Amino acid sequence: MELNSVILTAGCSLGFFKLVNSGLKRLPMPEAACRNAWKWRNISTSFVHSLITGIWAVLCFYLHPQMAEDLISTHSMFSHALVSVSIGYFIYDFSDMVLNQKIGQAWELLFHHAVVISCFGLSVVTRRYVGFAVVALLVEINSIFLHLRQMLRMAGGAKTTPYRVNSMLNLGTYVVFRISTLAWMTRWLVLNRDHVPLISYTIGSVGMAIMTAMNIVLFYRLLRSDFLQTGREGRKEK
């Protein structure tokens, strides 16, 4: 894809997710979620993005398996378009949070989005590390269940059977598509050290070390919230 095509794709993506968010205003909302309607729409829009890009990322490797062997220079038009679409979503979500949320409450996500937009943008413009970006988007498979968890909690369904089933799927996909994927990216980076510039290698290593620590902390919080704490409450009731 040429630069003009990248800009057009990202722009159309931004407009699409804006329409999704606007369309959610016309759909019925759980009564419990009405207290924070903006957050409900924001998470629901993120859910749509995760559903689309997560499945798309899996298809990229299924249709173009060579990309898994060379995450730097090998990619397809299909995967290049995926990263461009995701850039559009992150730009939309960044602006949505800036306009509707206090900076102090959202600075972590805003920083995350700024880094993603910069890295993905550099990738699609230079046509290098597109495979790495697609691997990163495999995380969206887990984000489907992570967003659904938030939506169920907002709707007051934290003690329902669908919530418990989703919690198990959430932790299972967390291990496969977050922790394992990050381990794969780290292993690939170490094995291909000679093919990666020192600056990129250093930034990538530090970034993945930070992400590993954050993912472990988040995994423990999810495990404690959905399983360990529930177990303790059950024993107290008995």
Side-chain angles (χ1 to χ4, degrees), residues 21-214:
N21 189 279
S22 298
L24 288 168
K25 295 179 181 178
R26 296 178 172 83
L27 296 178
M29 184 185 306
E31 186 177 347
C34 291
R35 290 173 295 180
N36 197 341
W38 170 80
K39 186 176 181 180
W40 173 265
R41 292 195 301 271
N42 181 268
I43 294 173
S44 299
T45 305
S46 297
F47 173 79
V48 173
H49 167 258
S50 296
L51 194 63
I52 293 172
T53 57
I55 296 172
W56 194 337
V58 173
L59 286 174
C60 283
F61 284 105
Y62 176 77
L63 298 174
H64 198 73
Q66 309 94 294
M67 191 166 60
E69 300 173 7
D70 181 10
L71 298 178
I72 297 178
S73 56
T74 300
H75 66 273
S76 62
M77 185 75 70
F78 192 57
S79 58
H80 198 265
L82 165 61
V83 181
S84 300
V85 166
S86 201
I87 290 172
Y89 162 75
F90 283 112
I91 293 175
Y92 157 74
D93 199 45
F94 185 96
S95 61
D96 189 40
M97 285 189 288
V98 168
L99 294 173
N100 296 284
Q101 206 172 17
K102 294 179 180 179
I103 302 298
Q105 295 177 334
W107 71 268
E108 292 180 351
L109 273 176
L110 290 174
F111 176 74
H112 168 269
H113 283 18
V115 172
V116 171
I117 292 168
S118 300
C119 293
F120 281 14
L122 186 63
S123 176
V124 293
V125 169
T126 62
R127 298 184 184 182
R128 292 179 64 80
Y129 302 101
V130 174
F132 236 91
V134 176
V135 172
L137 286 170
L138 287 173
V139 168
E140 297 299 330
I141 292 291
N142 169 247
S143 293
I144 294 171
F145 303 100
L146 199 59
H147 294 318
L148 187 56
R149 175 184 181 273
Q150 290 178 287
M151 293 166 67
L152 287 169
R153 290 179 73 90
M154 287 190 69
K159 294 185 178 180
T160 62
T161 298
Y163 182 86
R164 288 193 290 272
V165 172
N166 182 76
S167 293
M168 290 186 286
L169 291 171
N170 184 32
L171 287 185
T173 55
Y174 197 101
V175 172
V176 175
F177 291 101
R178 282 189 186 268
I179 296 176
S180 298
T181 297
L182 193 60
W184 174 33
M185 292 172 69
T186 303
R187 177 180 178 274
W188 189 92
L189 190 63
V190 171
L191 292 177
N192 292 272
R193 166 67 186 87
D194 295 336
H195 305 291
V196 180
L198 180 59
I199 295 178
S200 299
Y201 180 82
T202 303
I203 294 174
S205 299
V206 173
M208 283 189 283
I210 294 173
M211 288 302 298
T212 298
M214 291 175 64

